[in-house]
Amino acid sequence: MTTTEKAAVHPPHLYPPYTSSLRRAPHELLLPLPAALRDHGGPVFGAGRLRPDDHDCTRNARVNGEPLGERIVVRGRVLDSAGRPIRGALVETWQANAAGRYVHRHDRHDAPLDPNFTGTARLLTDERGEYELVSIRPGAYPWGNHPNAWRPAHIHFSLFGRDFSERLVSQMYFPGDPLLAYDPIYQGIPDEKGRARLVSRLDLELTRPGWALGYRFDIVLGGERSTPFEEPHGD
């Protein structure tokens, strides 16, 4: 990708409406590394490291009942910059529960925790580069970025592809969420088409009748159609 293409896809390191970026953004010019020093080797993950229900947040933390909230199924393909499927990529997700609260000691949102839900999942893509996540639709929650700030419903995605050039941390949003227009993390992506790549689409073919709505969310690692990188933050 050229510098212009990267700027159009990914959010800038410094985006004043996203206030914590003022403390995290580099204040000096970055030093490019010589190409010879780049390591294109990558991590290798095996299916034996995962439990059968690690992909299913409605089951993997169940203690004494079903987790509360609207069940969802998220399915998509992980592709490289040329549109080819990436097999065996590790996908990790984390999210708030239906009330908008994370299982995290620093989450002070005045909302209930769910004893049967941690909001975390791990899975590997199959031979077609496909993954499937079963979960609960997360709730919106307040955060301290600016007065009356609320984050739209979202799921965090972390991906490890075949090498370190196929590393991505991003977020998936839901279609039609009115909070997207007010969210500086989402709006920090300069290109409207780039922002649209972070919004899943409702897919009735994935919907399980009477049980869960289905959403499609494809992820592209690299190239001009790359899924935008999420700037690190503590929400």
Side-chain angles (χ1 to χ4, degrees):
M1 296 179 67
T2 66
T3 301
T4 302
E5 289 171 337
K6 289 181 180 179
V9 171
H10 301 296
H13 293 294
L14 178 61
Y15 184 63
Y18 180 16
T19 57
S20 65
S21 72
L22 298 174
R23 300 190 299 270
R24 294 184 286 99
H27 294 281
E28 302 291 341
L29 293 176
L30 300 179
L31 299 177
L33 291 175
L37 297 181
R38 293 177 184 169
D39 182 2
H40 287 284
V44 176
F45 302 97
R49 299 172 183 265
L50 302 177
R51 298 177 303 177
D53 61 356
D54 273 356
H55 73 290
D56 188 344
C57 293
T58 68
R59 297 171 52 199
N60 63 21
R62 188 183 300 178
V63 177
N64 55 11
E66 295 278 344
L68 300 176
E70 175 190 328
R71 290 183 290 263
I72 60 173
V73 176
V74 180
R75 186 182 298 173
R77 299 184 74 194
V78 179
L79 307 171
D80 66 14
S81 59
R84 297 168 299 203
I86 299 179
R87 306 169 182 84
L90 177 68
V91 181
E92 298 179 318
T93 69
W94 65 98
Q95 63 172 91
N97 65 19
R101 186 167 178 186
Y102 289 93
V103 181
H104 195 284
R105 66 182 184 277
H106 293 309
D107 190 336
R108 297 292 183 260
H109 180 26
D110 185 17
L113 289 171
D114 188 334
N116 296 300
F117 185 81
T118 63
T120 58
R122 301 176 78 237
L123 54 103
L124 293 174
T125 57
D126 64 15
E127 289 300 308
R128 299 185 65 250
E130 288 196 343
Y131 72 90
E132 181 176 281
L133 167 71
V134 180
S135 192
I136 298 294
R137 179 167 175 147
Y141 56 83
W143 63 310
N145 186 76
H146 56 274
N148 201 20
W150 287 77
R151 290 239 57 214
H154 61 281
I155 298 176
H156 297 270
F157 276 74
S158 169
L159 287 92
F160 293 89
R162 294 166 300 197
D163 59 52
F164 290 112
S165 68
E166 295 176 341
R167 175 78 171 102
L168 179 74
V169 178
S170 194
Q171 299 185 34
M172 186 203 87
Y173 298 96
F174 292 85
D177 192 329
L179 287 173
L180 290 173
Y182 304 96
D183 185 61
I185 296 178
Y186 177 76
Q187 294 295 333
I189 299 167
D191 178 60
E192 183 178 351
K193 292 182 179 179
R195 292 194 293 271
R197 293 174 203 148
L198 295 184
V199 181
S200 61
R201 61 179 177 85
L202 181 67
D203 190 335
L204 290 180
E205 292 186 2
L206 298 180
T207 294
R208 299 183 184 178
W211 195 80
L213 287 176
Y215 293 89
R216 170 71 60 177
F217 185 60
D218 295 330
I219 300 170
V220 180
L221 304 182
E224 62 181 13
R225 297 188 58 81
S226 172
T227 300
F229 188 81
E230 168 201 301
E231 287 297 298
H233 56 88
D235 75 315

